[in-house]
Each structure stands twice: as C-alpha cells, then as structure tokens.
Amino acid sequence: MTSIRGAITVEANTSEAILDASKELLCEIIAANGSKNGLRLDQIIDITFSATKDLDAVYPAAAARAMGITEAGLFCVQEMDVSNSLPKCIRIMAHVDIPEKKQSDMVHIYLRGADVLRPDLAKKKLAVAIDGPSGAGKSTIAKEVSAAAGIIYIDTGAMYRAVALHNIIAGTDIKDKEAVEKSLNHISIDIQHDDKKKQRLILNNSDVTEDLRTQKVAEGSSIVASYPAVRQKLVTLQQDLAKKYSVVMDGRDIGTVVLPHAQVKIYLDASLKERVHRRIHELELKGEPAEYDSVLQAIESRDERDMNRTHSPLLRAKDAHYIHSDGMTINEIANEILKEIQKI
C-alpha cells in the first residue's frame, strides 16, 4: 500500500466552490498517477480530506462519490486553526494499492498556490503538445490521448475557427486583416467541458461547437490565424488554460510557441494523399460535399499558409517525437504517444 498527497485552495466557502475544487484535485491526482502508475479507481483504498476551518459549507468527500469512487473509504476532518496557515485549503491523503509500485513512484498534486505547503512534493501540470499539418488527425488523436490519460483536451484550432465563424456570420471579409483584428473587441471565447471532459467552445455566450467543422470555416481559420493580433489573443488564452489544467493541446505551433516547455511534444504527420482521404471521410460523415480535387487544393493552400506565415509558422519542434501516421490505426498512434507520456 502506498499514499498519495495533494492540496488545493478554494475560491469561496460555498458548496459549489468546495466540490469543484475537490473534483479538480482528485481528477489531477488520478490522471497523473493513471498515466504514470496505471492507477484505477478500484485501487483506491481510502481518502482522507482535511479542510481549514473557513471551509464548512459541504463535505469535500461528496465530490469523490460523484466521480464514481464508491468502494473506497472516505473521511473528512477539519484542520487546526494555525496562525498564518494557508486559508480556504483542502488537503487529501489517499491510500492506494498498485502492485509493484513503490511510494517513490507516486505523483503528488498541489494546485492553485497550494504548492507552498509541500514544494518538495509538488509536480508541475502535465502538458502534451501535438502539432502537425492539416488533416493529419491531430484532433482525433488528441481526444484519444486525453481520454486515456484522464486530462483535459484543448482544441486550439477550434478557437481560430471561432474567430473565423464570428466574422463569417458578421459578413466581414476574412481577408481584411484590419477588420478581423478590430472584430476581436467584440469576441468572447470560453472553453468549457462536459462531464466526460469533452470540450465545448462558447462564442459570445453561445455554444458553437457543432458549427466549427465546415470547410468554409476551416479555410477561414487558416487565414485569420496568420494575423498577429488574433494569435496574440488566443495564445494568451491557451497558455492560461495550461496553467490551470493538465492538458493535451493540438495545433500548429503548440510545441514551438504556445507551450515550448511541454513535457511531451509530438509532431503528427501523414502523406498529402492520406490527409485528403481523411478530410473527405470527415466531410462525408457530416453530409457535406467532398470532391477530391477541391479538398486537395484546400489542404495544399492551407499547408502553404501555415508553413510560410510570418508569425508562428508550422514547424516541428527540435525535441518533438515524430510520428508518420500512414497505415497506423487511431489506437496505435495514441498508444505511441501514451508511451512517451509514461517516460516522464
């Protein structure tokens, strides 16, 4: 039997804030030890939650039950009121049974400034950067890796598509750089996740997730992504998300610009022919027109823009693990990336 420790601060003494923070901490602990040590929920023996005296709106253990941790013993205690202690803080001590794993193998998680409690144990959030050209399958693979590793998936391409979609709806000429950059003052983009950690993109308070995958929006996103002001706004948002969560993030400049210090960097590639066939299949599933020559031309044009734009062009990071995916299944590609994660 080994133990895992963790802590997180809470925004307010409310049931929602306490349960959200407890769930975030548990998810990070399970994700980190799942990817490194193969931890499963049924291997958790018990969890002790301790909360500072300024948190008493709800038992934090309720978050564990809501997550499906039903067999482990759960216990909540209130900490001593020590002078100058970290306020609004929840700590966790979990005992787990993972065969052939030692105490030194365990990953301990401290979030939202709680790392000051145990800087010797605190671990940085995991960042997995997946880059590659259009149609290489980055989003599909990133979602698989996210689900397997138990961490948040951030589709950066969807953010650029959202900017393009906003301007298309507004009737703005996508090629008018000044007009698009001016539109940023009227664009609010938020990333939310459902109970399965699947990303939903909120544009100006509306869920537009299903509206982002058309060919017209895809072509428009490549154009707006070449504008410095657009990239600056979205890169800042992406970096802020990576500070808050452990993430799998895909795009074209993740490992080189957005998350240059990511622990795992992947460059996912495929032949032009393979990428065209994949895009056609994706469009056909949505009932959209998919003529080979037009899709080929769209991908070639996008490659040209992405690789030759002045700001943040598509490049393979020097320390990125290269995967040429022709002939590989989704599971084979995802497993190769998961092996890279396990090396950390």
Side-chain angles (χ1 to χ4, degrees):
M1 183 175 71
T2 55
S3 63
I4 303 171
R5 304 173 195 177
I8 189 170
T9 59
V10 182
E11 293 180 355
N13 184 28
T14 65
S15 295
E16 182 180 9
I18 292 171
L19 294 177
D20 282 350
S22 300
K23 183 178 179 181
E24 180 181 342
L25 179 57
L26 285 169
C27 284
E28 290 280 353
I29 287 174
I30 293 166
N33 287 280
S35 60
K36 181 180 179 182
N37 298 313
L39 175 65
R40 305 188 310 269
L41 294 188
D42 62 1
Q43 292 174 314
I44 301 175
I45 300 170
D46 59 60
I47 306 175
T48 298
F49 297 81
S50 68
T52 48
K53 288 195 172 182
D54 46 13
L55 295 176
D56 59 5
V58 69
Y59 291 116
R65 293 293 187 230
M67 291 172 58
I69 304 175
T70 57
E71 299 299 323
L74 303 178
F75 185 56
C76 296
V77 298
Q78 206 158 45
E79 293 182 11
M80 295 172 56
D81 191 12
V82 178
S83 177
N84 297 321
S85 63
L86 190 64
K88 293 186 175 66
C89 182
I90 293 172
R91 302 194 201 207
I92 283 178
M93 170 73 80
H95 291 106
V96 299
D97 182 16
I98 310 176
E100 300 180 1
K101 293 295 181 179
K102 301 176 294 184
Q103 182 62 48
S104 58
D105 295 322
M106 298 300 103
V107 182
H108 310 283
I109 302 294
Y110 291 79
L111 305 175
R112 302 186 190 175
D115 53 347
V116 298
L117 298 172
R118 290 299 303 268
D120 56 321
L121 294 180
K123 180 180 175 62
K124 290 178 63 177
K125 294 179 178 61
L126 173 64
V128 180
I130 303 178
D131 291 308
S134 176
K138 300 183 298 296
S139 296
T140 299
I141 298 304
K143 291 173 185 176
E144 289 290 319
V145 172
S146 167
I151 59 179
I152 296 297
Y153 163 59
I154 304 295
D155 180 359
T156 62
M159 298 180 186
Y160 291 98
R161 287 172 184 254
V163 174
L165 177 63
H166 173 85
N167 282 277
I168 289 171
I169 293 173
T172 305
D173 182 359
I174 292 292
K175 295 182 180 179
D176 186 337
K177 174 176 172 289
E178 291 186 2
V180 172
E181 292 187 340
K182 187 178 293 185
S183 75
L184 295 174
N185 296 324
H186 308 287
I187 293 177
S188 171
I189 296 176
D190 189 22
I191 300 293
Q192 297 180 3
H193 295 87
D194 58 25
D195 55 4
K196 295 182 180 179
K197 290 192 176 183
K198 290 185 177 180
Q199 177 178 293
R200 310 297 299 179
L201 192 137
I202 311 302
L203 172 63
N204 294 338
N205 298 317
S206 296
D207 187 338
V208 297
T209 306
E210 310 306 330
D211 303 319
L212 300 176
R213 308 307 298 184
T214 67
Q215 190 71 11
K216 185 175 183 179
V217 171
E219 293 171 5
S221 70
S222 180
I223 295 172
V224 303
S226 67
Y227 302 152
V230 175
R231 300 203 68 81
Q232 182 178 358
K233 177 184 178 76
L234 298 188
V235 166
T236 298
L237 174 58
Q238 293 154 14
Q239 291 173 333
D240 288 344
L241 290 168
K243 291 175 183 177
K244 186 175 181 181
Y245 305 106
S246 288
V247 298
V248 177
M249 196 176 291
D250 73 294
R252 286 163 178 75
D253 62 348
I254 308 304
T256 54
V257 176
V258 182
L259 301 177
H261 303 298
Q263 297 97 323
V264 177
K265 297 180 184 179
I266 304 294
Y267 190 89
L268 183 61
D269 205 355
S271 66
L272 179 59
K273 181 179 180 180
E274 179 71 16
R275 290 189 284 134
V276 171
H277 282 302
R278 289 176 183 175
R279 183 69 77 197
I280 289 174
H281 179 66
E282 177 183 342
L283 293 171
E284 287 177 341
L285 288 176
K286 297 175 182 177
E288 297 182 25
E291 198 272 326
Y292 184 91
D293 288 341
S294 63
V295 174
L296 171 64
Q297 183 178 4
I299 289 181
E300 287 181 324
S301 297
R302 184 156 194 182
D303 285 349
E304 174 66 22
R305 287 194 298 269
D306 290 346
M307 294 177 180
N308 296 294
R309 65 191 180 209
T310 303
H311 298 276
S312 305
L314 169 62
L315 294 172
R316 175 185 170 186
K318 293 181 179 179
D319 53 346
H321 178 72
Y322 181 81
I323 300 176
H324 193 279
S325 62
D326 281 22
M328 296 179 70
T329 65
I330 292 173
N331 284 339
E332 288 172 340
I333 301 169
N335 285 336
E336 186 166 339
I337 296 174
L338 289 169
K339 288 179 181 177
E340 293 300 307
I341 295 174
Q342 291 169 357
K343 293 178 182 178
I344 298 174

